[in-house]
Every structure is written in C-alpha cells, then in structure tokens.
C-alpha cells in the first residue's frame, strides 16, 4: 500500500507560483491541481497535491517558510487508498520508507492537543485511577489492564519528549502541567473515593495489606520496571511518528503509571506510608523511563532523517 498524504492549500494569488514551484521540485509529489480564485475565506487560489509520506515533512517545512500557514491555509490528511501509477512512482522516488518518516508538524499538533489540561483529560485520568484503585484492592489484573488502557497520560509524556527535541518550552510547560496536575487531581479524588468505598464496606485495609500476587509489583519497583518503561517509551514514540496509533493501547497496558498512582492514593487513605512511597517510586520511575526513551527516540529519528535528506541528490 502506498503511504501518501493529500495536501489542500489556500494560497494568496501572489504566492501561488512559488507554492507550485516548491511542490514540483519536491521529490515524491504528484497529482498537482491548481484552482485559480477558488477560495473565498481566505481569498486566493486552491492548490492540491499528493505527496509521499516520507517527503511530507520537507514539503510542509517549505510551505511554512513561504508563510502559507499565516497568509493562507495548509490542510493535510492521510490517503487510505491510492490506485495510481503516478502515486506509486512518487512513493518510490521519495527517499526512505513512509513508515519511518516523521511529520514534525503533525507530531507537534497532535501532542499539543493531547497534552492540554482539559476537563476531558482530567476526567479520563481520574476515572482510570479510580478503576485501578478497585483493581489493586481486589487484586484484579483485568481491572488494572482496563485502567491502563483508559489512562491518557501518554499524550503529555509525548508532548514533553517532542518539546525537548524541538526546543519548544511552551509545549514542555503545557505538557508538564497536564501531567502533574492530572495525576495530582486524580490521586486526590481517588483518596476520597477510597474513603467512601471503605465507609460503605467495599474497601478494607486488610485487602490492601493482604498478599496480592497479581498487583503486588505495583508498590515494589525494581530495574525491570524501568526497563519496561524505556521499551514502552520507544514503542509509544514510534507508534506516534509512524501513524500507527493503534499500538498505543499496547504501550498503555505495559507500564504501571495509573495503577501506581491508584495504589499510592488508596494506601494514603489508610495511612500506609510504605505502600504509598513504593507506589510513588514506581510512578516516577515509569514516567522517567518513558520520557528518556521517547526523547532519545525522537532525537535519533531527527538525526536519521536529516542525514538522509543531506544524502539525497
């Protein structure tokens, strides 16, 4: 299957020729269409083309250098199916492989949205932590896995990694705020939830202190926890940059960020400082591993593509 992107551009009339020349000289583009005076808001020409995914970042960078993002419009969408000999040739001519390409503009936009401290984000991370709280008290692995899948924390983590590599302090601050405030709020609500569940007889301290073969690892961090977090950070970053977002579910259920936060909250409600501290260490260890691995992965991808671009005639 050919990995192609479709670009729909609105260009001021005086910039259309420059835009067309840029598209024509970019290796990996095809299906160029120019519709003069078709746009009304903003007014201008409409230019459309398809570009191989591995050439997309170069073209988008060039379009932004022309100021098209401020004076016109740049819209990008993935093409699920393209039956065209010209598309096949464009993809073959473009350097590298589409699955390996990094669209930095798309990544920045995606992480910006996913790392915003919103009501929806707070709701998801709080619900995930409360589900995990039920899982740790009942020693139920199914609930733990479900809570991991619901948790939205990888968005801010990816935002931090992207901000470090692209040197964007505002994105870093926004992502860090969402991560810290999100977990703090979720844990605070879960403490109250735990006290309520204890009051109605659904949680007991004996359940928390009993042997928990399925969930005991959550408050006993070790080097394996860090190794898994690093591997998950690499896999999660690759899933974002390669547009294989479906893999994020697997990444989410491989690290114990949300369950660790939940166990810390439940233990805190019962005054169990040992489990509270152990779970907090597990949480911090996982967050650190993911950030280090994700940042290193993005930096390696950026270096790889810059070298490949320099070596392309």
């Amino acid at each position: 299957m050919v990995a192609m992107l479709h670009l729909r551009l609105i260009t001021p009339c005086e910039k259309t020729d420059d835009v067309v020349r840029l598209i024509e000289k970019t290796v990996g583009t095809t299906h160029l269409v120019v519709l003069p005076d078709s746009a009304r808001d903003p007014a201008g020409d409409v230019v459309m083309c398809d570009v191989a995914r591995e050439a997309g970042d170069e073209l988008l960078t060039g379009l932004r250098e022309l100021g098209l993002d401020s004076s016109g419009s740049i819209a990008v969408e993935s093409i699920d199916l393209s039956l065209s000999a010209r598309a096949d040739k464009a993809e073959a001519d473009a350097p590298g492989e589409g699955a390996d390409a990094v669209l930095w503009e798309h990544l920045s936009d995606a992480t910006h949205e996913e790392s915003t401290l919103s009501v929806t984000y707070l709701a998801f991370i709080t619900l995930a932590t409360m589900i995990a709280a039920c899982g740790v008290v009942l020693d139920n692995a199914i609930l733990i896995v479900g809570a991991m899948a619901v948790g939205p924390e990888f968005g801010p983590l990816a935002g931090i990694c992207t901000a470090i590599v692209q040197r964007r302090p505002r994105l870093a601050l926004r992502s860090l705020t969402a991560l810290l405030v999100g977990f703090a709020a979720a844990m605070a609500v879960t403490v109250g939830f735990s006290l309520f569940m204890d009051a109605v007889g659904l949680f007991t301290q004996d359940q928390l202190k009993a042997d928990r073969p399925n969930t005991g690892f959550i408050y006993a961090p070790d080097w394996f926890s860090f190794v898994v977090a690093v591997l998950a950070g690499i896999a999660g970053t690759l899933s974002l940059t390669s547009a294989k977002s479906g893999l994020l579910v697997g990444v989410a259920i491989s690290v114990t960020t949300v369950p660790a936060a939940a166990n810390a909250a439940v233990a805190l409600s019962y005054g169990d400082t040992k489990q509270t501290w152990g779970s907090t260490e597990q949480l911090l260890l996982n967050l650190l591993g993911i950030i280090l691995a994700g940042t290193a992965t993005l930096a390696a991808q950026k270096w790889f593509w810059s070298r490949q671009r320099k070596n392309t005639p």
Side-chain angles (χ1 to χ4, degrees):
M1 181 180 293
V2 179
M4 300 290 290
L5 302 172
H6 178 69
L7 273 63
R8 187 187 72 250
L9 314 172
I10 297 179
T11 73
C13 298
E14 65 274 11
K15 291 188 177 182
T16 300
D17 289 342
D18 292 333
V19 170
V20 170
R21 278 194 293 268
L22 174 63
I23 294 172
E24 290 178 334
K25 77 175 184 179
T26 301
V27 178
T29 59
T30 187
H31 303 154
L32 176 61
V33 178
V34 180
L35 303 174
D37 298 320
S38 297
R40 293 293 179 268
D41 184 19
D45 304 329
V46 174
V47 178
M48 295 182 287
C49 71
D50 295 340
V51 58
R53 193 174 189 277
E54 52 269 41
D57 186 62
E58 178 184 357
L59 181 55
L60 290 173
T61 299
L63 292 171
R64 293 200 67 178
E65 289 175 352
L66 290 173
L68 201 60
D69 54 327
S70 57
S71 61
S73 170
I74 303 173
V76 184
E77 58 184 344
S78 296
I79 299 176
D80 294 329
L81 178 64
S82 181
L83 303 177
S84 167
R86 288 183 176 274
D88 293 339
K89 185 179 185 305
E91 204 276 336
D93 290 342
E97 295 294 332
D100 297 331
V102 181
L103 298 175
W104 290 102
E105 296 299 334
H106 177 270
L107 182 62
S108 298
D109 184 68
T111 52
H112 179 278
E113 180 181 352
E114 294 295 328
S115 61
T116 300
L117 185 63
S118 62
V119 174
T120 301
Y121 171 81
L122 288 174
F124 270 118
I125 197 169
T126 301
L127 290 170
T129 307
M130 292 166 69
I131 293 171
C134 296
V136 297
V137 171
L138 298 176
D139 194 33
N140 189 313
I142 295 177
L143 291 177
I144 293 297
V145 171
M148 291 176 177
V150 172
E153 73 278 7
F154 193 82
L157 289 169
I160 293 172
C161 298
T162 303
I164 293 173
V165 174
Q166 293 194 294
R167 300 178 182 179
R168 298 181 58 181
R170 288 187 178 181
L171 177 59
L173 180 60
R174 181 186 299 109
S175 301
L176 186 62
T177 299
L179 190 68
L180 297 180
V181 174
F183 270 116
M187 292 173 71
V189 172
T190 303
V191 169
F193 174 71
S194 178
L195 293 172
F196 169 77
M197 294 292 278
D198 179 79
V200 298
L202 295 177
F203 281 8
T204 66
Q205 189 171 8
D206 290 338
Q207 287 175 300
L208 185 69
K209 291 188 174 182
D211 290 334
R212 290 186 280 150
N214 293 321
T215 59
F217 68 94
I218 292 173
Y219 58 90
D222 54 24
W223 280 108
F224 279 106
S225 301
F226 184 74
V227 170
V228 171
V230 168
L231 296 176
I234 296 172
T237 302
L238 289 175
S239 72
L240 285 177
T241 58
S242 64
K244 297 184 182 296
S245 58
L247 299 178
L248 279 178
V249 176
V251 173
I253 62 177
S254 62
V255 290
T256 54
T257 48
V258 166
N263 198 84
V266 175
L268 183 63
S269 70
Y270 285 116
D272 189 334
T273 55
K274 181 179 179 180
Q275 285 201 38
T276 300
W277 179 244
S279 300
T280 303
E281 284 185 329
Q282 179 77 277
L283 173 62
L284 295 176
L285 197 63
N286 276 270
L287 295 177
L288 177 63
I290 292 173
I291 291 174
L292 290 177
T295 302
T297 301
L298 286 176
Q301 289 179 296
K302 186 175 183 179
W303 176 85
F304 174 78
W305 276 100
S306 64
R307 292 272 298 183
Q308 192 167 55
R309 184 175 297 178
K310 289 179 181 179
N311 296 331
T312 300

